[in-house]
Each structure stands twice: as structure tokens, then as C-alpha cells.
Amino acid sequence: MHTVATALERVLATVAPFPAESLPLAAVQGLALAENVDSRIDSPPFDKALMDGFAVRSADLPDGAGRLRVVEQITAGQVAALPVGPGEAIQIMTGAPLPVGADCVVKIEDTRLEGDEVVIAARPLQDGVNISRQGSAMRSGDRVLAAGVVLRPPQLAALAELGWPQVPVRRRPTLAVLATGDELVPVDQTPGPGQIRNSNETMLVAQAAQSGCASRTLGIARDVRAELGAKILDGLTADILVLSGGVSAGKLDLVPSELTAAGVEEVFHGVAMKPGKPLWFGVRQGDISRNACYVFGLPGNPVSSMVCFELFVRSAIRRLMGISPAEPQPVSAVFEGEYTFRGDRPTYHPARLTWTAGGPRVALVSWQGSSDLRATVDANAMACLPAIERTYRTGDVMDVLSWD
Ligand code: AMP
Ligand code: MG
């Protein structure tokens, strides 16, 4: 049986990133950049005033006070026609290029206009005060964005500044969700004897949305081969098919054999972890006429499904989109409480992660195991507990994966 690490390696080795395509800047938020972006400009592109005030020669005002002749006035977007000569100043607004001859800007609050002269009473000035030098934020040739970065507002703004109206990215995957089980009824129905509502579908759709991909629901497949097989064929048209239930060793656990019958090659079945041990993963290879489809058979217990999605499906989505790193990124958090762990498999325990002034802290929520969805309502993360018998006490550090 695979460890979590080797299972994740197999998933990431199997899933090939989508080809890069060029999309308008306005349409790429949340996607990963497919190429490195080096600056083709200096920023700022010229020595630039950071304040409204007067561009002066600091040597004219050795102790910060004096009277200068105002020879011109410029606002942002204008370039001074005149240089600033000895004894002169140019009135300047934030964002305007520093005129030739000037080496600093006196802010307007430290000045008073008298006719065509400005009376200055500032603190001692130096070269460079209240200006931003050309190229001080970035120089032409600098690596500004690395391939794989997710495009959020700062990165989008940087692409705009650098002049990228079209951006190389990889598209979002489509995902199909198929719940399996004779006992399941839709959310809007009252379960009869032995029945429960299909909560996994709602959860998986929401997890997919949180991971940046749209999903399609295929409804509930009974544990009947023909029905399951037909819905699987429909689901294989998506980039990722996520099934829940039917992958363990029960009499009606038909999912692995129906997937194989539909042409999905098994990559692995079973991972040493808790919850989520029966996880099944495979691929239906693509060719010129059809897409590749990556298929996850998640165990039906809700917390198993949730945890397997977070660890494996989300990583596959990130790989397809070219997000780097694709692997889950745990944070080290300081544990609060006392908990004795005795599992023989690494365990992903619902937890509450908080960010404090002293760093991330984590507490475990009370949890009965893989079917206890209720516990996850109080959680926002999962603590990763290695398969070592151990008592955790306040102050111990543990790895935690955030669900946000
Ligand atoms: P299975 O993996 O099919 O053996 O299911 C394991 C457990 O998860 C059983 O108790 C199922 O009733 C439950 N289960 C399976 N599918 C779902 C679902 N879509 N929503 C909620 N619980 C489910
Ligand atoms: Mg079942």
C-alpha cells in the first residue's frame, strides 16, 4: 500500500499540466502564470516626485531654509521644459518626472508662495529626498514573476504595469462529481429506513469551487453496474472525475471494476492514511479525439472524501493548472491542549487553526472518525499526525493543512 507521499508522487507524475494558452489580462485572475515574466521596463521609468511641492537643488538650501525663484509648474504626465538652475525651483506634483538639475522635492506643507518666489522652511535637505529614482523598484531584465505563480491582484497589477494585455496561463479543469450508493437520497428528500442524504456531492462541488474549478454533478448512481457504468462514461468527458463511495471491500463496492471496464487504468488503490485508506486513483488516457480524464474514487465516508480531496484532488487540479507548488503546503503550528495519539496510520485530524501575533496555533476538535462530518463544521484545517504513538501537549509543534 502506498504512503501518502508516494501516492501524491504518483498523482503528480500521472497528471500532465494543460498546455499554455494566451488569455486577456482581465480573464486570468486565479490562474497560474505559464511562463516567467522579466521586466522590459525600469520602474519607475524616470526619477519621480513622491510629493506635491517644489523640485529644488539641495545645495541651494543647506539648512533647509531659503527663498527660490519658481520658473515653471508641472503636474503628473508633464515633463519640465526648463532645468532647475541655481537659486531656482519648479513647482511639481506627485508622479511628475524630476526636472533636470533638481535633486530633491520639498513638500508643499514646508513652503509658502510669494509672487514668483517660494519661501522654504524645511528640515535640512539631501539629494534624493521625496523622490523615487528610476529603476529603484525594478530594472529592465529583472525577473518579476515566476512561472507557476497564481495571479492575484498584485501580480495582475504588475502584468499591467509591464504591458502584458495577453497573459500565458493554463485553463481551469472541469470536474464531474458522482456519488454512489443505494442508501443515498438527494438533499431535498427525507431519508427512508436505512437511507441518508447525499452530503458528499455538495461538499465536493464546494471543494472544487474553492480550488478554482467548475463542476458538474452526475447525481446518485445506485450500486448497480449498468447505472454506475453509464454515469462513469458521462463523467469521463470532464478533466477530472471524482466519485464517492464504493471503493472499499464491501459486496457492492463496484467502483474500481466499473472504472476499469470503462477504460480507466488503475494507478493505485489504497493509501496508508486515516481517514481515506481505500482511495482509488486512475487515468483514462486522452488521444486526439478525447481529453485525458483523471479519476479519483474517494471513500464514501464524508470526512474520508473531504480529506482525500484536499490532499490528492486539489493537488491534481493545481498540477493541471500549472500552479507551483502543486503539493499541499502544511504550516507548522503550535499545539494547544493535550492529546494522546495511538494510530498505526498517519492521521488527518479535523482541527482549528488560528493566526495569533505569536504565529499559527492549532487545537484539535473532538472527532469520532471518518463518518463524523459534524466535527468538521467546527474545524478549518486538518492536523497531520504521523503514525507514531505520542502524547501532544501545549507548545508542541505540528503540521497543519488549512482548508481555507
Ligand atoms: P462506501 O465507501 O460506499 O462503503 O461508504 C462508506 C460510508 O459513507 C457509508 O456509511 C455510506 O453510507 C457513506 N456515504 C457514501 N456516500 C455518501 C454520500 N454521498 N454522502 C454521505 N455519506 C455517504
Ligand atoms: Mg457504498
Side-chain angles (χ1 to χ4, degrees):
M1 190 176 304
H2 278 295
T3 63
V4 172
T6 56
L8 197 56
E9 269 170 35
R10 295 302 303 276
V11 170
L12 294 179
T14 304
V15 178
F18 286 138
E21 56 189 297
S22 179
L23 289 182
L25 178 56
V28 299
Q29 182 165 8
L31 300 180
L33 191 63
E35 282 172 25
N36 295 325
V37 167
D38 296 341
S39 182
R40 293 172 294 208
I41 58 165
D42 286 344
S43 180
F46 42 81
D47 293 349
K48 169 181 189 170
L50 292 179
M51 292 276 182
D52 297 324
F54 290 85
V56 303
R57 306 163 75 102
S58 55
D60 280 350
L61 304 159
D63 55 7
R67 179 182 281 270
L68 302 170
R69 199 161 63 84
V70 180
V71 296
E72 196 181 346
Q73 189 189 84
I74 55 167
T75 56
Q78 296 180 326
V79 177
L82 300 172
V84 174
E88 293 177 350
I90 287 181
Q91 189 165 12
I92 193 165
M93 307 303 151
T94 303
L98 191 73
V100 174
D103 63 19
C104 66
V105 169
V106 183
K107 60 178 192 290
I108 193 110
E109 291 84 351
D110 294 340
T111 67
R112 192 176 78 242
L113 263 180
E114 280 184 7
D116 65 353
E117 290 185 337
V118 59
V119 178
I120 294 170
R123 289 210 250 156
L125 296 168
Q126 304 156 25
D127 183 314
V129 169
N130 295 332
I131 61 176
S132 174
R133 288 286 180 199
Q134 175 175 343
S136 58
M138 66 182 153
R139 294 206 168 276
S140 179
D142 284 354
R143 169 76 30 96
V144 180
L145 298 167
V149 70
V150 177
L151 299 171
R152 304 189 194 286
Q155 292 78 21
L156 296 170
L159 288 167
E161 183 182 5
L162 294 174
W164 288 71
Q166 295 287 124
V167 184
V169 289
R170 300 175 207 277
R171 68 178 175 86
R172 296 175 194 279
T174 58
L175 191 143
V177 175
L178 174 55
T180 75
D182 285 339
E183 74 281 28
L184 302 178
V185 299
V187 185
D188 59 357
Q189 285 181 26
T190 303
Q195 296 184 320
I196 57 167
R197 293 193 184 91
N198 173 15
S199 57
N200 285 350
E201 178 185 281
T202 299
M203 178 180 74
L204 296 168
V205 165
Q207 287 180 288
Q210 222 184 22
S211 319
C213 58
S215 44
R216 187 161 67 90
T217 55
L218 303 171
I220 298 164
R222 309 280 130 212
D223 294 321
V224 172
R225 288 200 181 276
E227 187 176 336
L228 181 59
K231 285 193 184 282
I232 285 172
L233 287 183
D234 187 3
L236 289 175
T237 58
D239 300 309
I240 298 176
L241 169 59
V242 176
L243 301 96
S244 89
V247 288
S248 319
K251 199 173 149 217
L252 290 181
D253 287 336
L254 310 175
V255 166
S257 54
E258 280 307 306
L259 286 171
T260 317
V264 185
E265 298 155 31
E266 178 184 312
V267 177
F268 62 76
H269 189 187
V271 181
M273 62 185 285
K274 198 175 159 183
K277 187 169 154 212
L279 174 67
W280 192 99
F281 172 65
V283 57
R284 204 281 317 270
Q285 300 293 355
D287 56 35
I288 35 166
S289 63
R290 63 183 194 190
N291 61 298
C293 181
Y294 303 100
V295 183
F296 293 87
L298 311 183
N301 271 310
V303 188
S304 310
S305 271
M306 185 187 298
V307 166
C308 287
F309 189 104
E310 287 303 308
L311 290 176
F312 300 103
V313 184
R314 195 184 270 267
S315 300
I317 292 170
R318 291 166 63 89
R319 170 67 95 219
L320 283 170
M321 294 175 73
I323 297 173
S324 175
E327 297 84 359
Q329 300 295 303
V331 295
S332 292
V334 175
F335 177 65
E336 274 171 9
E338 186 171 321
Y339 180 71
T340 298
F341 177 72
R342 288 204 181 83
D344 57 350
R345 281 173 276 153
T347 295
Y348 295 83
H349 195 300
R352 182 101 215 131
L353 179 66
T354 49
W355 297 88
T356 70
R361 297 188 78 86
V362 63
L364 301 182
V365 303
S366 164
W367 179 50
Q368 319 264 314
S370 58
S371 62
D372 183 8
L373 180 64
R374 165 69 186 83
T376 63
V377 170
D378 299 324
N380 63 355
M382 52 196 189
C384 315
L385 308 176
I388 302 163
E389 185 173 330
R390 170 171 174 188
T391 298
Y392 293 90
R393 296 198 168 79
T394 296
D396 289 343
V397 172
M398 56 173 70
D399 276 353
V400 181
L401 282 166
S402 171
W403 290 341
D404 293 332

